[in-house]
Amino acid sequence: MDVIESIDNLQVQDPPGEDFCSADLDWVKLRSAERCDDVALIPYDRVDAFIIGECSNVECPTRFHIERGRKRPKGSLKEYKNDEYLEYRLYWCSFGPENYGEGGGTLPSRRYRLNTRNRAARPQSMRGCTCNFVVKRLYARPSLVLLIYNERRHVNKAGFVCHGPLDKDAIGPGAKKIPYVCSEIQQQTMSMIYLGIPEENVLEKHIEGIQRYCGSDPKVKTLASQYVQKLGMIIKRSTHELDLDDEASIRLWAERNKKSIFFYRDTSENEPLILGIQTEWQLQQMIRFGHRNIIAADSTFGIKRLKYPLCTLLVFDSREHALPVAWIITRSIAKPDVAIWMKSLLDRVRSVNSGWKASGFLIDDAAAQIEPIRETFSCPVLFSLWRVRRSWLRHIVKKCTNIEVQREIFKRLGQIVYGIWGGMDLAVALEELLLDFVDQTSFMQYFRDSWLPKIEMWLELMKTLPLASQEASGAIEAYHVKLKTKLYDDSHLGSLQRVDWRITLLRHQGIELSKSPTLLFPSMKMTSFLLKYSVRRTAA
Ligand SMILES: [Zn+2]
């Protein structure tokens, strides 16, 4: 192959025939300081003919989808190189880039494959194909396109042919005809089904999505409708039974959802599991609403009931609604573990917006690690009382029957909390409380067991940190309650211990919460009741 250093003298090729493929072109190597690419120059209006030709590769019939694209307006550049782009499109074989098939992670505890009948639908699950090329419409000569072939073979990372008749695993007569569904559309379709949107609307959106690269004909529509129906059935039947082996299931989930994970560390002998989830949508919200604003942690979800408790990071939108922008599933609150995922999250945000900065970090647990927050986010830490108040109120209502007494106890607890700034003697105040309500045995038992051992630590921390605003506290609580209702609603499934199930639910929740802000305030009644008894101390 010839080696050239500039495309100036490269000959334009226009093979005859309706369509043509890479084998019909003479390729040369274009060498620059950084790289050496296989290139060919063709007329812009023959791009479609080339792509169709590449799709009808006898050995590996496939489709190509646009994995990445960029455009710049004509006349926007004053100076440019002769191979600068006007339009840039990276086409990827639709059996890649991700690998969802065998070798992409087989579950150790499952010897058989689920949906074996579905094997013909191979293109729906990507096979890790690395075949890809770039179509670069030239800025200097818009009637021409520079083709750059990065990987011409249809092989996976390991170098094996991964689809087509030469792929030993390709079984089923329909394998090459079923329209490819990329993971984004798949995700969107799934979310819509989860949200309970009527099937015909889901289908319409779905078809719209796949037609971007497979044209429209009745066959495509029939297949798409079958696909949506099937997906709906699968979701209905089991959204979470990825595998019986929970940890293997997380591993598989993580493998399949790399784009939504900002940190993942598998369980090992000395290190506990940490899984940090953040979808693209959440990343954008974090950048938008978290910059020069408060980030809050609902850090205590499922601390008693779940094998892996859940921490949610929240931001507040312009209407003070709490939006979940990251979920961390782990049992560990050890300093190095917290520091490692926080840093990873911040790196991710800063990779998009390097000047991103939080103005404060709100915590709701006195046992939380404050140092990693200060070190990573370099901002003040604030404290929210919602969790303490909520816990007290719930138990008062449950354990004391008389409304007057309920009110009185709650008022006294409020006085104790806010007394710390007035030089109150905590020991005396607590003793008086226990004496005055000695007949409320059930509540006092709870208070003694759950709070006496740690109340001093909580109050000490409250004293040293500024308190969060009521709005922020209310919004966090609302989020927490909403999540809880959703989660424990399904608890008859016996799934509370299962992390993979929760992941599925969370992804669904992220979308739902973003769409229905009204759902965020189911507990406002309780919140306002709580707030009546507390003096407002808003942090600046
Ligand atoms: Zn391929």
Side-chain angles (χ1 to χ4, degrees), residues 143-362:
S143 65
L144 296 181
V145 153
L146 185 70
L147 298 174
I148 305 169
Y149 231 120
N150 297 320
E151 174 56 70
R152 231 179 293 186
R153 299 165 306 155
H154 290 269
V155 295
N156 57 20
K157 268 190 207 146
F160 294 112
V161 173
C162 54
H163 57 93
L166 296 180
D167 171 19
K168 279 178 258 144
D169 287 338
I171 304 172
K176 42 187 141 161
K177 295 194 186 114
I178 301 235
Y180 160 81
V181 183
C182 78
S183 61
E184 240 166 84
I185 294 171
Q186 205 173 349
Q187 189 61 49
Q188 174 193 293
T189 305
M190 276 169 74
S191 309
M192 288 173 81
I193 297 173
Y194 272 125
L195 284 172
I197 290 168
E199 198 171 292
E200 56 268 31
N201 301 14
V202 178
L203 183 60
E204 196 185 323
K205 267 268 165 233
H206 182 79
I207 291 177
E208 223 171 77
I210 55 175
Q211 276 179 353
R212 283 210 316 251
Y213 43 79
C214 69
S216 70
D217 66 60
K219 180 101 203 269
V220 167
K221 283 193 182 158
T222 319
L223 289 169
S225 137
Q226 283 169 4
Y227 175 83
V228 170
Q229 238 171 29
K230 202 189 230 168
L231 204 58
M233 246 154 55
I234 293 170
I235 288 172
K236 234 177 261 165
R237 235 182 270 145
S238 88
T239 53
H240 60 288
E241 288 291 321
L242 270 176
D243 196 81
L244 296 171
D245 176 346
D246 203 20
E247 261 134 39
S249 202
I250 298 171
R251 222 165 286 144
L252 185 67
W253 190 92
E255 181 65 34
R256 287 182 182 178
N257 293 277
K258 279 191 186 131
K259 284 178 184 166
S260 303
I261 290 174
F262 68 88
F263 186 81
Y264 176 51
R265 190 180 72 190
D266 211 343
T267 324
S268 69
E269 224 171 279
N270 356 327
E271 293 178 323
L273 171 107
I274 304 177
L275 176 62
I277 305 172
Q278 185 181 54
T279 64
E280 187 57 36
W281 177 83
Q282 290 180 310
L283 174 63
Q284 275 153 28
Q285 307 314 305
M286 183 161 176
I287 289 167
R288 186 169 163 208
F289 295 114
H291 181 48
R292 294 203 190 133
N293 225 326
I294 302 265
I295 305 283
D298 171 10
S299 59
T300 52
F301 194 86
I303 222 144
K304 286 196 200 109
R305 289 173 78 175
L306 301 175
K307 184 173 164 198
Y308 294 104
L310 171 75
C311 170
T312 309
L313 292 195
L314 302 158
V315 294
F316 303 96
D317 70 6
S318 44
R319 292 191 294 166
E320 292 283 336
H321 294 148
L323 303 176
V325 290
W327 290 298
I328 301 91
I329 291 175
T330 183
R331 221 174 328 184
S332 169
I333 51 160
K335 202 178 128 190
D337 290 339
V338 175
I340 198 169
W341 67 252
M342 277 193 178
K343 185 170 177 326
S344 183
L345 180 66
L346 188 69
D347 285 349
R348 187 180 201 217
V349 172
R350 293 246 168 103
S351 73
V352 181
N353 181 349
S354 55
W356 188 91
K357 195 176 179 339
S359 67
F361 198 105
L362 208 160

Side-chain angles (χ1 to χ4, degrees), residues 60-64 93-96 129-131 153-155 162-163:
C60 296
T62 183
R63 287 203 167 84
F64 283 87
C93 170
S94 295
F95 288 89
C129 187
T130 56
C131 179
R153 299 165 306 155
H154 290 269
V155 295
C162 54
H163 57 93

